Amino acid sequence: MEKKKVAIVGCGAVAYRWYFDGLLKSEYCEIVALVDINEANLEKASEYCNVKRLYKSIQSMLDDKDLNIDIVVLLTPHKCHYEQIKEVLNAGFNVYSEKPFAETSQQAQELLDLAKRKNLVFCSAPQVMLSSRNKLTKKYIEDGLIGDVVLVRASGSNMGPAYRKDTNYDPEWFYNDGGSLSSLGIYTLSIVVFLFGVPKRISGFSGVSMPIRETQYGPAKGKVFDVTAPDNEVALMDYGHNYVLFDGSYVVNSPQKYELIIHGTKGTLYVGGFGGKESIVFRNGDKEEFIGPEDRCHIDWNLSWGIDEMAQAMNNGTISPTNAEFASKTIRVIEALRESSKNSEMIKLG
């Protein structure tokens, strides 16, 4: 099977942490072009990936008539995604975007409609539906292992990259342009949407709880900066007969062990980590059992899997589970959460 030719737009920390290594080992894709406005970033990425086609802008790449690419991957800041996706789709190229791919549900629908009119494949992170842990959790729920779901606690919070020992970049962006929900909490929120769909109603609370931060590790250690994007975002979601309590914040010093605690009428699922038998625990009274997937998902996990899945779907003529239609649902929930917080009212979605 011929590998899909990929162009990477944005050669910063995200590319190195989550995409380059996976794509360099991929059976389905190969990196053939790199784009970054920073020349030093381009040169570093060129050497790391052994790629010689380098561009300082998306437009200069699109103007190169000799370039043969199948997928443009956008690893740029959130606020750039909408305009860049539109530019690439209008030029006739398939797109895979980092999350979230749009700021509003209106923008999201516009891009979905554009891709459809152009007959192009449009996919987006986060690829939570590819996790064997998440797929098995969904199966257990649908098979009725815990009976009817009644209450879910979903936590996608920590203190953010300024407090991580492995942070090797200046993390200030994440507390300003990024924001805790769009950068971190969106993963857990996407799992909630994957498991239960879009809620009927949502009440959200969004704000800045820790307005001044100090970077604890990495090259920017000791740097003190202001926080302007919401660092504390929580919600109560109503699904009719069950409820989800969600948080996606940068204010939690000791994150809870289990990302999801799913209570049902016949027992409870505790879900945490990326995979392995201990990643899903079933409890019913005194009974406790490890029932997670027995695979290497938790060891091999890489965000580039979303692009691999897209490439396979293109080769097979099928729809990728990472298609942007799913991601647009999470964007709608985020938009409603913030609208609820801003207007102090419950928002109806379904």
Side-chain angles (χ1 to χ4, degrees):
M1 187 177 295
E2 185 176 352
K3 290 185 177 183
K4 295 298 182 185
K5 296 177 173 57
V6 172
I8 302 290
V9 181
C11 302
V14 171
Y16 286 94
R17 183 178 177 87
W18 292 117
Y19 285 91
F20 279 162
D21 289 345
L23 289 173
L24 289 173
K25 299 173 184 176
S26 174
E27 299 177 22
Y28 310 101
C29 303
E30 63 174 327
I31 305 172
V32 299
L34 300 168
V35 182
D36 200 291
I37 59 175
N38 185 298
E39 189 169 347
N41 284 354
L42 271 181
E43 292 176 358
K44 179 183 176 183
S46 172
E47 183 176 348
Y48 191 88
C49 300
N50 192 28
V51 172
K52 304 306 179 186
R53 286 190 176 273
L54 311 178
Y55 305 90
K56 294 288 293 293
S57 69
I58 293 176
Q59 189 58 58
S60 63
M61 177 186 70
L62 298 177
D63 288 341
D64 186 351
K65 304 304 180 185
D66 294 328
L67 179 63
N68 179 20
I69 52 176
D70 301 300
I71 303 171
V72 176
V73 177
L74 297 172
L75 307 181
T76 49
H78 305 159
K79 293 180 180 178
C80 301
H81 292 167
Y82 167 71
E83 292 294 344
Q84 290 177 339
I85 294 169
K86 186 162 61 171
E87 180 180 12
V88 174
L89 289 175
N90 275 321
F93 292 97
N94 305 303
V95 174
Y96 186 94
S97 175
E98 247 300 326
K99 45 73 185 165
F101 72 80
E103 296 284 298
T104 67
S105 56
Q106 181 177 347
Q107 288 181 348
Q109 190 59 53
E110 180 184 340
L111 294 176
L112 290 171
D113 291 342
L114 176 59
K116 186 175 182 179
R117 288 198 305 272
K118 293 280 188 176
N119 196 29
L120 295 168
V121 180
F122 175 26
C123 294
S124 176
Q127 69 286 41
V128 297
M129 73 294 293
L130 302 183
S131 160
S132 57
R133 183 205 78 175
N134 296 339
K135 289 190 285 188
L136 188 54
T137 299
K138 187 178 181 70
K139 183 179 186 302
Y140 285 144
I141 293 171
E142 292 176 346
D143 288 349
L145 175 65
I146 59 172
D148 295 329
V149 175
V150 289
L151 180 66
V152 179
R153 297 181 184 273
S155 180
S157 299
N158 56 39
M159 292 292 283
Y163 300 78
R164 287 203 298 260
K165 291 182 179 180
D166 62 347
T167 297
N168 59 358
Y169 50 86
D170 185 345
E172 181 178 352
W173 176 88
F174 288 88
Y175 299 83
N176 292 280
D177 295 326
S180 65
L181 180 52
S182 295
S183 296
L184 174 68
I186 190 171
Y187 290 100
T188 303
L189 187 60
S190 295
I191 296 172
V192 170
V193 174
F194 172 64
L195 295 177
F196 307 110
V198 174
K200 296 178 181 296
R201 300 183 299 169
I202 184 170
S203 288
F205 303 88
S206 177
V208 175
S209 294
M210 299 176 65
I212 299 176
R213 300 295 183 105
E214 180 178 347
T215 303
Q216 303 297 307
Y217 303 97
K221 180 180 179 180
K223 179 180 180 179
V224 177
F225 57 89
D226 295 331
V227 176
T228 58
D231 66 352
N232 199 2
E233 302 203 66
V234 302
L236 171 61
M237 292 180 274
D238 173 17
Y239 282 86
H241 299 291
N242 56 73
Y243 307 96
V244 175
L245 307 174
F246 164 80
D247 61 86
S249 307
Y250 279 159
V251 298
V252 176
N253 206 329
S254 300
Q256 65 183 44
K257 180 179 180 180
Y258 296 104
E259 186 176 8
L260 301 168
I261 302 175
I262 307 169
H263 296 287
T265 55
K266 296 181 180 179
T268 299
L269 291 177
Y270 294 82
V271 184
F274 288 107
K277 287 187 71 64
E278 294 186 9
S279 66
I280 306 176
V281 180
F282 171 69
R283 290 182 187 168
N284 184 8
D286 295 333
K287 177 184 177 183
E288 180 174 293
E289 183 181 2
F290 296 132
I291 57 172
E294 297 187 63
D295 61 19
R296 289 181 54 88
C297 178
H298 60 304
I299 299 173
D300 300 332
W301 182 258
N302 194 282
L303 299 190
S304 66
W305 287 2
I307 306 168
D308 279 346
E309 195 72 26
M310 176 182 179
Q312 292 177 74
M314 291 170 64
N315 283 326
N316 298 331
T318 57
I319 298 176
S320 171
T322 60
N323 73 86
E325 183 71 42
F326 172 80
S328 69
K329 297 177 182 178
T330 304
I331 290 172
R332 176 66 185 111
V333 176
I334 292 175
E335 182 182 52
L337 186 159
R338 292 172 176 166
E339 182 184 352
S340 172
S341 177
K342 179 180 179 180
N343 298 324
S344 300
E345 63 181 11
M346 182 176 288
I347 304 299
K348 293 182 179 180
L349 291 97

